[in-house]
């Protein structure tokens, strides 16, 4: 007998047959209402997104255009040792391979570690998604994030230098966006907002606001990115040029 | 008179042209409705079940309504030609439910822990899995973090993998694959640990 719990769970997957008219009157009503509505109409019910306008958007666009989301995480972090970084082979406090490098102020820690994943030092197939965390010793450790956040590795969340108790949350926000926000072009502001709100939900950042600060009519900036503003507990959704092809 | 006929001919031609445009628009609208009806009928039950399982603190009818209305508005974005459509719909439902729950979280804090795992495993009894095995799976699922449990459920119970799973989770495919791999590993570890405890 198959003893894999995942396979066992898969056995219980329902074999859904398509709905037929009359199967579910509530569904029939919903379908009739929807197809009778104007698909271009602005929705008037359901989700209320916390959204606003951002007067100083130009500054933020500059931040985002100058780097990737990973840069936002680094911008948020403030290790006590600013001269050294460590590149980890595993998302663990005890990695199989740990390479120490002098900090290059012109690169993000992730950019410094990426080549080690191609030249055979750590790997030879290219870098996976990387996250910049801060170890208990105050050193930036660049770890393969694989969709997880720094705290799940057992590493101490970085201190953003913010006031009060918001620093750790801001770092978590920056890290989760750095790690999980799509690397390819997000061509719709609504999609970007939805992704970011989901990520905020994942880390229980209830008090954070998602604000669309870009210009939806700018064809030269077709892709939507996230920028973390710790002071105002805001994630700005801004548009910029498409990311370079891998 | 030929000259006198010309304006009429032009008018008729213009009318025909207008009719052709209207006809084409009508065809497009009909096609859009047919496409939406197809995905609605095909996936309504799964989306409803997903909301019931994962987000029982929200108004299911409201979330269903918003989900499919959003899908109707964004039909041009739908990956309707392939198997990703269920993941796309579940992704919309997930965001809708979570946003709704967010706004009520403080008032409904006790409801945010869904009994999804218990319900999911209860279904195992219906497919001839021995009761002790199902109980062990339930225990293992209960040991997982909610994010891992969600990935396992979406993959095992809703059949989402690859880009469909990524669409549901709102992450890229690589992240989705890694999250599933890790969640499965943790589930297996917890399951084996439960088996070890029983054998002691």
């Amino acid at each position: 007998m198959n003893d894999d719990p995942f396979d066992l769970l898969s056995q219980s997957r329902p074999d859904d047959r398509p709905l037929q008219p009359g199967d579910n009157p509530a569904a029939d009503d919903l379908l009739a209402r929807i197809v009778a509505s104007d698909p271009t109409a602005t929705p008037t019910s359901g989700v209320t997104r916390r959204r606003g306008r951002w007067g100083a958007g130009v500054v933020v666009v500059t931040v985002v255009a100058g780097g990737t989301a990973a840069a936002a995480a680094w911008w948020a972090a403030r290790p006590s040792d600013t001269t050294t970084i460590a590149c980890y082979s595993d998302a663990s406090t005890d990695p199989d391979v740990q390479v120490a490098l002098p900090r290059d102020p012109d690169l993000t820690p992730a950019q410094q570690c990426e080549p080690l994943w191609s030249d055979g030092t750590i790997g030879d197939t290219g870098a996976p998604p990387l996250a910049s965390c801060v170890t208990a010793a105050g050193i930036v450790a660049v770890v393969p994030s694989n969709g997880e956040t720094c705290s799940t590795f057992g590493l101490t969340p970085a201190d953003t230098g913010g006031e009060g108790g918001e620093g750790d949350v801001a770092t978590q926000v920056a890290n989760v966006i750095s790690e999980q926000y799509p690397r390819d072009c997000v061509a719709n502001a609504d999609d970007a907002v939805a992704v970011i709100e989901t990520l905020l939900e994942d880390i229980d950042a209830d008090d954070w606001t998602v604000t669309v600060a870009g210009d939806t009519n700018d064809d030269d900036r077709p892709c939507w990115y996230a920028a973390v503003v710790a002071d105002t507990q805001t994630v700005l959704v801004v548009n910029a040029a498409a990311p370079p092809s891998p | 008179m030929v000259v006198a006929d010309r304006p009429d001919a032009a008018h008729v031609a213009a009318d025909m042209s207008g009719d052709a445009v209207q006809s084409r628009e009508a065809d497009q609208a009909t096609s859009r409705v047919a496409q939406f009806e197809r995905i609605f009928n095909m996936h309504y039950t799964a989306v409803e079940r997903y909301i019931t399982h994962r987000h029982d603190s929200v108004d299911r009818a409201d979330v269903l309504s918003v989900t499919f209305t959003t899908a109707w508005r964004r039909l041009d974005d739908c990956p309707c030609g392939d198997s990703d459509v269920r993941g796309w719909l579940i992704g919309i439902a997930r965001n809708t439910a979570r946003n709704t729950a967010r706004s009520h979280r403080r008032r409904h804090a006790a409801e945010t822990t869904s009994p999804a795992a218990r319900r999911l495993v209860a279904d195992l009894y219906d497919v001839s899995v021995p009761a002790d095995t199902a109980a062990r799976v339930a225990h293992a699922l209960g040991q997982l973090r909610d994010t891992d449990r969600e990935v396992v459920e979406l993959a095992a119970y809703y059949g989402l993998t690859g880009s469909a799973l990524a669409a549901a989770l709102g992450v890229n495919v690589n992240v989705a694959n890694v999250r599933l791999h890790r969640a499965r590993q943790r589930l297996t570890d917890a399951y084996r640990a439960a088996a070890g405890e029983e054998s002691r």
Side-chain angles (χ1 to χ4, degrees):
Chain A
M1 178 182 165
N2 188 335
D3 202 32
D4 183 327
F6 183 85
D7 290 342
L8 291 168
L9 284 170
S10 298
Q11 290 179 31
S12 66
R13 184 186 311 159
D15 184 17
D16 294 324
R17 66 179 183 84
L19 276 181
Q20 300 295 326
D23 284 351
N24 184 332
D28 292 343
D29 288 346
L30 176 60
L31 177 59
R33 270 191 289 121
I34 290 174
V35 298
S37 67
D38 178 0
T40 63
T42 302
T44 56
S45 65
V47 182
T48 302
R49 288 194 175 131
R50 297 166 297 171
R51 176 178 294 194
R53 288 289 154 197
W54 191 261
V58 174
V59 175
V60 179
V61 172
T62 302
V63 170
V64 174
T68 63
W74 169 240
W75 159 75
R78 184 174 292 175
S80 58
D81 182 344
T82 58
T83 62
T84 308
I85 67 168
C87 307
Y88 283 19
S89 63
D90 310 297
S92 161
T93 53
D94 184 24
D96 291 340
V97 179
Q98 183 176 157
V99 180
L101 297 174
R103 173 94 172 88
D104 182 341
D106 294 330
L107 298 174
T108 66
Q111 287 171 331
Q112 281 195 258
C113 291
E114 278 175 4
L116 304 182
W117 289 86
S118 299
D119 67 8
T121 305
I122 295 178
D124 56 9
T125 58
L130 298 174
S132 299
C133 307
V134 175
T135 68
I139 297 172
V140 171
V142 179
V143 302
S145 63
N146 295 335
E148 307 291 348
T149 57
C150 289
S151 57
T152 62
F153 306 152
L155 297 176
T156 305
D159 179 5
T160 65
E163 297 297 325
E166 295 301 331
D168 288 349
V169 177
T171 301
Q172 287 181 49
V173 170
N175 282 338
V176 76
I177 288 174
S178 167
E179 294 157 9
Q180 297 197 35
Y181 192 80
R183 295 292 194 271
D184 47 357
C185 179
V186 177
N188 183 301
D190 284 343
D191 289 344
V193 171
V195 168
I196 294 165
E197 290 200 321
T198 300
L199 296 177
L200 294 178
E201 172 75 17
D202 283 345
I203 60 171
D204 296 332
D206 285 342
D207 297 331
W208 281 64
T209 300
V210 182
T211 299
V212 176
D215 179 0
T216 57
N217 296 316
D218 188 344
D219 293 338
D220 293 331
R221 297 176 174 178
C223 302
W224 292 86
Y225 301 90
V228 178
V229 183
D231 291 348
T232 57
Q233 293 179 249
T234 303
V235 179
L236 297 175
V237 179
V238 295
N239 55 327
S245 300
Chain B
M1 292 175 57
V2 173
V3 173
D5 285 342
R6 279 180 182 164
D8 288 340
H11 184 69
V12 169
D15 280 351
M16 289 179 65
S17 174
D19 288 346
V21 170
Q22 286 181 356
S23 174
R24 193 163 54 244
E25 289 175 350
D27 287 347
Q28 288 173 347
T30 302
S31 171
R32 182 184 179 87
V33 169
Q35 183 185 27
F36 182 76
E37 286 182 345
R38 185 173 62 79
I39 69 167
F40 182 96
N41 290 328
M42 189 70 74
H43 300 290
Y44 177 91
T45 304
V47 174
E48 181 183 45
R49 186 185 309 108
Y50 167 77
I51 296 167
T52 304
H53 275 173
R54 289 289 313 175
H55 303 283
D56 65 344
S57 68
V58 299
D59 184 317
R60 184 179 60 190
D62 188 43
V63 173
L64 271 169
S65 175
V66 173
T67 297
F68 281 102
T69 302
T70 302
W72 170 242
R73 283 195 298 112
R74 293 177 47 196
L75 199 57
D76 292 340
D77 299 332
C78 171
C80 293
D82 53 41
S83 59
D84 291 355
V85 62
R86 179 171 293 189
W88 181 69
L89 288 169
I90 286 179
I92 296 172
R94 181 177 186 264
N95 288 331
T96 302
R98 287 180 151 210
N99 284 321
T100 303
R102 264 171 84 107
S103 63
H104 298 290
R105 166 171 289 194
R106 296 198 190 286
R107 280 180 289 154
H108 299 86
E111 297 177 41
T112 57
T113 303
S114 165
R118 288 197 300 275
R119 292 183 185 173
L120 193 67
V121 174
D123 292 335
L124 285 174
Y125 293 108
D126 297 333
V127 289
S128 303
V129 171
D132 59 337
T133 302
R136 202 180 304 150
V137 174
H139 178 78
L141 263 182
Q143 298 298 302
L144 298 184
R145 296 179 308 174
D146 190 58
T147 49
D148 285 339
R149 195 158 48 235
E150 179 180 38
V151 173
V152 167
E153 289 171 11
L154 288 172
Y157 201 60
Y158 297 92
L160 304 184
T161 57
S163 55
L165 181 62
L169 294 171
V171 298
N172 64 44
V173 175
N174 288 337
V175 171
N177 287 338
V178 170
R179 283 180 65 175
L180 175 58
H181 174 77
R182 289 177 158 237
R184 283 190 65 165
Q185 187 60 54
R186 290 175 184 132
L187 176 68
T188 301
D189 291 346
Y191 180 79
R192 288 177 179 160
E197 288 171 5
E198 287 174 13
S199 64
R200 277 202 295 268

